[in-house]
Amino acid sequence: MTQTLIHNARLIDPEAGQITHGALLIESGKITEILTQDTDFEEMFRARNIRPDRIDAGNAFLAPGIVDIGVKVCEPGERHKESYGSAGQAAAAGGVTTMVTRPDTSPCIDTPEALEFIRRRAIEETPVNVLPMAALTKGRQGREMTEFGFLLDAGAVAFSDCNNVVRDTKVLSRAMTYARSLNAVVVGHPQDPGLSQGAAATSGKFASLRGLPSVSPMAERMGLDRDIALVEMTGVRYHADKITTARALPALERAKANGFDVTAGVSIHHLTLNEMDVADYRTFFKVTPPLRSEEDRQAVVEAVRTGLIDIIGSYHSPQDEESKRLPFEEAASGAVGLETMLPVLLRLYHGGELDLPTLFRALSLNPAKRLGLDCGRIAKGAPADLVLFDADKPIVLDRFKLRSKSKNTPFDGARLQGRVLGTWVGGARVFEA
Amino acid sequence: MRFDHRHLLGIEPLRPDEITTILDLSDQYVDFNRRRDKHANALAGLTQINMFFENSTRTQASFELAGKRLGADVMNMAMQASSIKKGETLIDTAMTLNAMHPDLLVVRHPHSGAVDLLAQKVNCAVLNAGDGRHEHPTQALLDALTIRRAKGRLHRLSIAICGDIAHSRVARSNLLLLHKMENRIRLIGPPTLMPSGIDAFGVEVFDDMREGLQDVDVVMMLRLQKERMDGGFIPSEREYYHRYGLDAEKLGHAKDDAIVMHPGPMNRGVEIDGTLADDINRSVIQDQVEMGVAVRMAAMDLLARNLRARPTEVVA
């Protein structure tokens, strides 16, 4: 039985919303003691008759490991873009202790057999926890629901068709009704599929100047309104993957006030970038939905602060160079984020927009709660899934040093502050800077 | 006189004095083109490749003629028929061409930003002959030259741009250019054909033709693409003509000496009345074509001067 003591750390407790200077004792993969720094550690070790490894954190921050909902690992189908091996290394280096993977692979994860395949691959290849989501409909085609029961038995934690919005409300309402009976979480992509078809940018002056096909931010609200109406109808547990516009927020607020079981997420890119960053057609900034105006960005940051938006994810989407080296409209959408999410989000901390407990409430605590996981907390008995980081260390991001097989980050060359020093999953150290 | 650009990708990066430089040189080429002997050596020894990923007759012919009159070796490549069909990417095509050492590359592409992308990958000067809905700089320059010659100035004019603004790169480039030169711009068209965020452009927007044309000096009509007429953007061709087609009655609201422009090819009876288009007192449509050759000569001449001033680069 291994024991570890991490001391001289600033413990970020997202449940209490506070930071304290102290130490954690880890035994058998769990946090067993939370101690103040002035504790006589040797005395305690004698009393408990243990000899743990001692790690001096050097006053760095220690937080519950990130639970990243919506990671795309390109197995099966496109292992050259990202494998479980490379994604796992990237996650460990980024402080992500649980990857909740997307089913939009090719073929997609819509059968228990496919799910078992990726679970096996994940266990073999990754040092971090992997929890798979499964497709909501067969082939993500929006026609027939998948075998929710079997898929749940095989380990699916939620159901989503990702960016393929189910157009047929009858199909969606039946899937939601059935999912409700199994108490399963349905993850929607709030976007009106008609309005957003073919869009590469958000409507406005920038899109018009660049001559890019664009979508009104209203398409997100329409998608959310529709999904919330179906939640009211079916009573399903619903999570909106990305809320990125100010106009969608009142609808979300109303749904929560009405007591519906609704949560919402947002991506690191929509919190830290705006449409102007696309500049001269830089395709690494092409994401789904497209980057928004600065007003929208500020509104969603504020919504994370107040807790209206519950969860922050990287929406890690590896793309190879070939699929990005195309004219903007034709280029593939998405950006990698597992390894960059923490330093990128620390921009919001350094800019005074969000404090650290709030960040980790959205990064660790809330996603864990949403999926009924025990992690995401600094608490006695919680799994020792932890990230130790220096919030101030200046870095210049070099995309070719990323551990992901794909290097499509919009933050190449960006000056950031913050570095992950160590990551623990179930008490075992999986990354050391 | 300064024109410190390697490429002509759009109007956006140009300063007003640079626009004036191009137009002044174009004026000289207008006179030159009216001579019997139309041969100069400004581009002698240089290779010009016209790469059109989208159909074009007029623009391609204009660039070809401009290059030939200045002594370049001109080659036309109809790209929609060739390697694109074989799955080659734009960048591969660019690298292939680059290996043939062209000096001037004239590119038209159906996607916005594609010409910018190509320009990053080649060593020669790139001229944008239209990319998606983004820009068509030589069209805006030839329109500016036409206006300046007809009106005697290119500032403090009231200019109406009418029709399908949303899908038009011509409108984009004209808007930028006329704005830089401090003109008053009015956009007229059905709201379904207006780009988003138009309020932020510093222009006046009208959906009524008569109101919008009130006392303008210049009326620029835009071509309505056939595929927009199917009920998706406007109810029908005939309703469009009734409400937005330019005829003598609607033109009556503009100034008495207002000129009528159209980038061509025209849909007579859709966006413009045929008789009006042929009215030599009002229509400068034929002048625009003439100015087109001169402007393209001037643009290629200026880029070639910059090209020759640079030491020969080795392809990396």
Side-chain angles (χ1 to χ4, degrees), chain A residues 46 52 65 140 169 179 187 215 217 234-235 343 361 397 401:
Chain A
R46 268 194 300 279
R140 298 197 301 129
T169 45
V187 178
V215 57
T234 61
R361 183 180 67 196
L397 200 130
K401 292 202 175 128

Side-chain angles (χ1 to χ4, degrees), chain A residues 202-214 280-281 322 325-330, chain B residues 12 89-91 109 111-114 116-117 121 131 133-134 172 176 195-197 200-201:
Chain A
T202 302
S203 297
K205 185 181 180 187
F206 180 79
S208 289
L209 269 177
R210 287 287 174 275
L212 291 172
S214 62
D280 287 327
Y281 304 102
E322 299 312 316
R325 285 176 64 193
L326 291 169
F328 199 82
E329 283 172 55
E330 291 177 76
Chain B
E12 203 181 1
T89 68
L90 180 63
I91 290 176
H109 196 281
H111 289 310
S112 305
D116 290 55
L117 179 67
K121 308 288 173 187
D131 63 322
R133 312 171 183 180
H134 179 219
R172 252 355 142 277
L176 291 167
S196 60
F201 278 79

Side-chain angles (χ1 to χ4, degrees), chain A residues 24 36 79 83 112 118 152 171-172 194 202 260 268 316 353 366 390 403 407 415 420 433:
Chain A
L24 288 184
T36 54
R79 206 190 282 183
S83 67
I118 59 167
L152 284 170
V171 170
L172 185 55
T202 302
F260 303 144
I268 55 170
H316 184 79
E353 292 180 276
N366 285 344
D390 174 347
R403 286 159 180 82
K407 314 293 182 190
R415 283 163 174 74
V420 175

Side-chain angles (χ1 to χ4, degrees), chain A residues 253-272:
Chain A
E253 201 166 9
R254 269 197 311 278
K256 288 190 167 188
N258 286 336
F260 303 144
D261 193 350
V262 169
T263 52
V266 63
S267 87
I268 55 170
H269 302 108
H270 293 96
L271 287 172
T272 56

Side-chain angles (χ1 to χ4, degrees), chain B residues 17-33:
Chain B
D17 64 300
E18 293 171 327
I19 292 168
T20 305
T21 298
I22 302 177
L23 297 184
D24 290 348
L25 185 60
S26 304
D27 264 329
Q28 294 177 28
Y29 279 121
V30 173
D31 297 336
F32 174 86
N33 284 337

Side-chain angles (χ1 to χ4, degrees), chain A residues 21-247:
Chain A
H21 190 223
L24 288 184
L25 182 65
I26 301 165
E27 294 174 281
S28 301
K30 290 194 185 306
I31 300 170
T32 51
E33 290 292 346
I34 301 166
L35 307 154
T36 54
Q37 190 58 30
D38 53 18
T39 311
D40 185 342
F41 299 123
E42 293 302 326
E43 170 65 33
M44 185 200 65
F45 297 160
R46 268 194 300 279
R48 295 179 64 130
N49 192 25
I50 52 173
R51 290 299 323 154
D53 299 331
R54 282 183 70 150
I55 295 170
D56 185 342
N59 205 31
F61 289 101
L62 187 64
I66 297 168
V67 179
D68 191 5
I69 298 183
V71 174
K72 169 90 178 270
V73 180
C74 306
E75 282 190 56
E78 296 176 302
R79 206 190 282 183
H80 69 285
K81 291 187 179 177
E82 192 82 290
S83 67
Y84 274 94
S86 58
Q89 293 305 320
V96 175
T97 50
T98 302
M99 294 194 285
V100 180
T101 56
R102 296 210 307 255
D104 56 342
T105 46
S106 55
C108 71
I109 309 304
D110 59 356
T111 61
E113 290 77 14
L115 197 78
E116 274 162 22
F117 163 76
I118 59 167
R119 289 205 69 189
R120 208 165 47 239
R121 288 284 302 150
I123 291 164
E124 283 167 10
E125 300 288 330
T126 64
V128 304
N129 302 314
V130 176
L131 298 172
M133 292 192 281
L136 185 71
T137 65
K138 288 173 187 160
R140 298 197 301 129
Q141 305 226 318
R143 285 198 283 271
E144 301 159 70
M145 69 181 93
T146 53
E147 296 169 306
F148 294 167
F150 281 150
L151 286 161
L152 284 170
D153 292 344
V157 293
F159 296 88
S160 177
D161 275 355
C162 304
N163 293 346
N164 283 9
V165 177
V166 179
R167 286 171 182 257
D168 188 331
T169 45
K170 193 161 244 172
V171 170
L172 185 55
S173 71
R174 283 185 189 141
M176 283 178 161
T177 304
Y178 193 84
R180 196 198 102 79
S181 73
L182 295 165
N183 208 25
V185 175
V186 169
V187 178
H189 178 63
Q191 195 68 224
D192 182 80
L195 273 184
S196 57
Q197 193 174 19
T202 302
S203 297
K205 185 181 180 187
F206 180 79
S208 289
L209 269 177
R210 287 287 174 275
L212 291 172
S214 62
V215 57
S216 164
M218 202 61 93
E220 181 172 289
R221 194 185 102 187
M222 290 168 66
L224 184 65
D225 275 337
R226 181 195 78 157
D227 285 4
I228 288 171
L230 287 167
V231 169
E232 183 171 358
M233 193 172 122
T234 61
V236 75
R237 300 171 66 203
Y238 176 84
H239 175 68
D241 66 350
K242 281 168 268 181
I243 295 298
T244 61
T245 62
R247 282 185 190 278

